[in-house]
Amino acid sequence: MSTIEKVLTRIDADLDNSLSRLFDLLKIKSISTDPAYKDECRTAAEWLAKELTSIGIDATVRSTAGHPMVVGHRKSGKPGPHVLFYGHYDVQPVDPLELWDTDPFEPRIATREDGTKIIVARGSADDKGQLMTFVEAARAFIAETGDLPIDVSVLFEGEEESGSPSLHPFLTANKDELSCDLALVCDTGMWDADTPAISIMLRGMVGDEVIVKAASRDLHSGHYGGAAQNPNHIVASIIAGLHDENGRITLPGFYDGVIDMPEEVTAMWDKLGFSAEDFLGDIGLKYMRGEKGRQALEHIWTRPTAEVNGMWGGYQGAGSKTVIPAEAHAKFTFRLAGDQDPDKIRDAFRAYVKSKIPADCTVDFIAKDGSPALRLDFDMPALAKGQAALKAEWGKDAALTGMGGSIPIVGDFKRMLDMDSLLIGFGLEDDQIHSPNEKYNLKSFHKGIRSWARVLDELAKD
Amino acid sequence: MSTIEKVLTRIDADLDNSLSRLFDLLKIKSISTDPAYKDECRTAAEWLAKELTSIGIDATVRSTAGHPMVVGHRKSGKPGPHVLFYGHYDVQPVDPLELWDTDPFEPRIATREDGTKIIVARGSADDKGQLMTFVEAARAFIAETGDLPIDVSVLFEGEEESGSPSLHPFLTANKDELSCDLALVCDTGMWDADTPAISIMLRGMVGDEVIVKAASRDLHSGHYGGAAQNPNHIVASIIAGLHDENGRITLPGFYDGVIDMPEEVTAMWDKLGFSAEDFLGDIGLKYMRGEKGRQALEHIWTRPTAEVNGMWGGYQGAGSKTVIPAEAHAKFTFRLAGDQDPDKIRDAFRAYVKSKIPADCTVDFIAKDGSPALRLDFDMPALAKGQAALKAEWGKDAALTGMGGSIPIVGDFKRMLDMDSLLIGFGLEDDQIHSPNEKYNLKSFHKGIRSWARVLDELAKD
């Protein structure tokens, strides 16, 4: 029996104990947004540090201005890549509590009508269950072989659900300690219950708020209507002119650096059987917006966008008020793809906006920090190893997916620690994270542990 | 000496007494919006009824659900037109009181550096001073000749500054009593301090609120950006498409019934020396918006408009929120001119809006009542008589003006009582109505009284 087979056999045999340990962690009410649970957050951090240390990963609780970090290391200069595993031990609040079938902090195994076994508790999927898949894989490896096959560091934070205010200072202060060859991030999901996934690209973002000012005060639309500029109309024309009739964004140079996916990728995505009808049907819509002639998944993962997240000007109350407002506002965000440069996009946007401002009106901008899109090199060895590990465990090719939104930690690792992230997770769309009756499939937990053991094993290979 | 000359001589001789009576009325704190002044409103009504009756216009105080009306008549079936004079005895609140140089209800005569004498008090211009110009003219006529030259009815209301809630029921209940050949309305102003004016057209209005709904809930712009419809963009495209590059409104049939002014009118307006620079400069703007190739005064008085008085959708707070909102809103008003039909305009607008709604989105509308524009027939005999009277008094042709906004009473008289209104008033732009230190020029008061005497005299002629 090969080493990895022995490790997997141990994982299977130890599953009940693994579950029991997960339940201990799930019972800790580590709600980071509510100061009433400050002590419980520290308890969770201490529990994890002790657990890691007990299995042979030397870990400490590290105080921050907010909730503490847990940092652990087991490294001896092995030849393979040194990886940093990231997860978070804090959870979302549980209200409305009355919508939970049972106490959110009393974890239980339930069996659905179709036979699926699920772990029900706050944090079961986001992120304690996912985080423990890695811890249990490491435990089995060390218990079976006396060591891990590669050098491993661990970073668990306690503020992911409250905006990670301590993360930047902590990464800056501990840059040398935390900079590894590769990050493993488990805060993502499977493609579906049978198909594992690795997220290989994340869209970037740049934002700007526009404030258009016309008259020096609000005007009566009877006295000034038709004669004085109306900022509502100016803002509307800015928004309306951003897209052409084919759904393309009209800013000059906007698509510079945007990359068409290789045919092998779009072909793979075609096979995923993604249903735009279901995707949109869930939110009461039917038809894909966006550029014409693009695959549905391209719209979500690889194409840049321009969206107005908020706009306002003039009277919003009941009834009517015949006012021409002195100013109007809009908040724009652009999702970025490929090598689009956030600064150049903002410059092009501002030049466009200024071209729409009448000579006797003014415009002000409020910038929102931008970050470029991220993507893994398709030829990156760790990616191929991750794919091999997941295929061995699940019997199916891992879907290489994009993500429309950002995972801030991945950008932070890239930009602050110059470290790529392999995004592998076992969550499912119906896990109800952030909602009542959050669950994590027992199969996700069990095969998640096995998957990480295989990933560690593969990463150690030449 | 002709009759009118005798009447005018009497007016001049009696000016101090006229002022004394005006001061008595100005001392009454008839603030209609503040319930604390309810009794003072009735006091003002009773004062007016007594005053009218004392000069020979049989008047009574008529209770309503709100503040009372004063209705008076002096009619004996004279051959000339039977006129209804309208004014209001209520005034605006006086706060901020500390910005008044003296007690707003202690009227006084002040002399400006340039020698102009002004009557300072709340209500001096709006509308007690104006209203009393007519009362004093009637008093002089009756005192001098024993009668008025035409049949006269009077209607004074006490709720003009609080939206006239009792007016419609009162006009409906007293339709026969109040329906005359012509209304005289003195709630308007002069063109400038030397030039009298008659307002001959008022723009109409129709309004609609648009609510565009897309997804069944607010969406994350990372997950759905570029794929799901964004109602902010839909509303913006509706607004932006309403005008073409020449400032014309694009709704099919929108300009049906809009009338170009006769050349004699635009030529007259050219001579008024209206300065678009000053008009816009006062509000911090420089350039006339609106249709290209139109005279500045046309934009304000005779051209229809489309204005968005309010629009909103999505996040308006500080910072950014990456949301695609489920719905967005805009409130539109159209100022109407000529014979534009409010119902047809609304129909055309709604058809246009619907054409902009994607197949998987919906739109709802909230209608605001419409009213067509009003204008006097250029050949109306009473208009020529009013012009003749004003020219005789002021030595200058009266400016025939439009008004961009509406004066509700004029529409009510037209639609409920089938009665045109001759709009003559002696207010000036610097009267500071609704503001601290409201004033009315002594010259406006004195020559206003003389003007009304001349108007009554002219209207009696064949």
Side-chain angles (χ1 to χ4, degrees), chain A residues 391-414:
Chain A
K391 181 161 191 178
E393 177 58 29
W394 296 85
K396 282 186 79 168
D397 283 330
L400 299 186
T401 63
M403 294 190 72
S406 53
I407 298 186
I409 188 71
V410 177
D412 294 337
F413 284 163
K414 182 69 183 178

Side-chain angles (χ1 to χ4, degrees), chain B residues 51 53 66 108 176 180 222 319 348 371 402:
Chain B
E51 198 65 23
T53 301
R108 63 191 171 98
D176 289 346
C180 298
S371 57

Side-chain angles (χ1 to χ4, degrees), chain B residues 54 77 154 234 284 301-302 305 363 407:
Chain B
S54 78
V154 169
I234 300 166
W301 292 343
T302 73
T305 68
V363 60
I407 298 185

